[in-house]
């Protein structure tokens, strides 16, 4: 008999011999200690010990005594790690957990344990590493080659069993890794985390959010080439991602290269079509997205393409959608509308839009005040 460490269940050797080729190719490290061996007897004694301090000392002796047995060392160090975690010494817990991983680097149980400790210690650098290593193991389950000696049906069943057994661990690591990305404030560190995470979880259920964080981070880093590349890749995977459409529309709206203005309008129009802001079930997020998209089109028309007349209905629609939803975006749309009206010498309408914009604390407040002063001066002169 063998002890399969993790659950500590005892499994008959005859069962292990049923699919020897599959066992050899199974993804992840499985710690096995044969039942009836000296190692197994000592583990039984340690398990029966109720005093935590004595149990810790016994595990440390166990690791030293069986230093030539990698499985015993890995398991012993893992138990020492968990003992330190229970005692609240998280640094020691991580230290011994890493020693356990040294002997079983692809063991999902240990990786989950380490991720939990890192999470508790608020050590995001280690947490993203454990999540990424675990993600690689999870992704490898379906990629493992079929042994020649195993039938297609047996192999398929074995893979499904492995996926099912690993699901909870993989889900935890996937979520834990994403939370690291979401909580990181430094753009460079966040982007490094995203690259590790994306490689480990290529089909993550959080892939849309990760793509948005990536483009936001690259924008902060002013890495425009990678931003566009990442955005286009994200849209290829999900053509209806509103956040990605708006980020690309906004980027091209600000870009001065030939052809960028047309791309900005195209992406913004797609965002409007996806948002369906006039649909009965449209929520605040969809209305806000459509409002921002109309603003981008209005700005391109007014400031880039000299289509001022066409800009006004876009910006009027934007203000209607954004009012009461997002003051910053509402102020942005109002300034653009005031500018467009002023350019067409519709000074009364320009004054109304700009008078509303100056009431809102925003990046457009000062320039709205300056433009309003010019509009008022022009109106006075006209009188």
């Amino acid at each position: 008999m063998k002890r399969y460490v993790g659950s500590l269940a005892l499994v008959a050797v005859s069962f292990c011999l049923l699919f020897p080729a599959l066992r050899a190719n199974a993804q992840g490290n499985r710690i096995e200690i044969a039942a009836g061996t000296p190692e197994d007897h000592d583990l039984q004694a340690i398990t029966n010990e109720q005093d935590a301090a004595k149990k810790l000392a016994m595990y440390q002796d166990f690791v030293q005594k069986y230093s030539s047995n990698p499985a015993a060392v890995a398991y012993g160090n893992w138990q020492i790690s968990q003992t330190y975690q229970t005692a609240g010494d998280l640094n020691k817990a991580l230290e011994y957990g890493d020693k356990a991983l040294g002997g079983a680097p692809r063991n999902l149980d240990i990786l989950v344990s380490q991720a939990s400790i890192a999470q508790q210690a608020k050590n995001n650098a280690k947490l993203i590493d454990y999540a990424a290593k675990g993600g690689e193991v999870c992704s490898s389950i379906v990629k493992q080659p079929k042994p020649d000696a195993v039938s297609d049906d047996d192999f398929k069943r074995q893979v499904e069993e492995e996926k099912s057994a690993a699901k909870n661990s993989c889900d935890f690591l996937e979520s834990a890794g994403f939370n690291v990305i979401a909580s990181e404030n430094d753009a460079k560190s966040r982007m490094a985390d995203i690259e590790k995470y994306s490689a480990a979880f290529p089909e993550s259920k959080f892939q849309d959010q990760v793509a948005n964080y990536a483009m936001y981070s690259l924008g902060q880093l002013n890495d425009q080439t990678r931003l566009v590349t990442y955005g286009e890749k994200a849209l290829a995977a999900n053509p209806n991602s509103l956040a990605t459409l708006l980020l690309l529309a906004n980027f091209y709206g600000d870009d001065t290269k030939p052809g960028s203005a047309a791309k900005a309008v195209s992406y913004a129009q797609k965002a409007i079509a996806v948002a369906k802001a006039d649909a009965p079930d449209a929520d605040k997020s969809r209305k806000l997205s459509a409002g921002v998209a109309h603003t981008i089109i209005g700005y391109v028309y007014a400031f880039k393409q000299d289509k001022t007349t066409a800009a006004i209905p876009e910006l009027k629609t934007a203000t209607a959608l954004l009012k009461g939803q997002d003051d910053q975006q509402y102020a942005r749309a109002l300034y653009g509308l005031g500018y467009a009206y002023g350019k067409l010498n519709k000074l009364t309408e320009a004054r109304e839009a700009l008078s509303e914009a100056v009431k809102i604390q925003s990046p457009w407040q000062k320039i709205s005040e300056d433009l309003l002063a010019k509009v008022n001066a022009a109106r006075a002169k006209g009188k």
Side-chain angles (χ1 to χ4, degrees), residues 131-143 170 173-175 178 181 193-211 230 233-234 236-238:
K133 289 174 183 176
E136 291 171 4
V137 176
C138 295
S139 298
S140 70
I141 293 174
V142 297
K143 297 177 181 177
C170 295
L173 293 167
E174 183 180 3
S175 296
F178 174 72
I181 294 169
D193 292 342
I194 288 170
E195 288 172 342
K196 291 179 183 178
Y197 184 88
S198 297
F201 297 98
E203 297 181 1
S204 171
K205 57 178 173 283
F206 302 111
Q207 60 182 342
D208 283 350
Q209 296 97 312
V210 171
Y230 209 105
K233 181 180 177 181
N238 181 7

Side-chain angles (χ1 to χ4, degrees), residues 28-52:
N29 299 125
R30 193 175 187 182
I31 301 175
E32 299 180 1
I33 294 175
T37 61
E39 291 93 332
D40 179 53
H41 288 145
D42 284 356
L43 284 176
Q44 296 277 10
I46 296 172
T47 301
N48 293 332
E49 176 58 58
Q50 300 302 309
D51 184 273

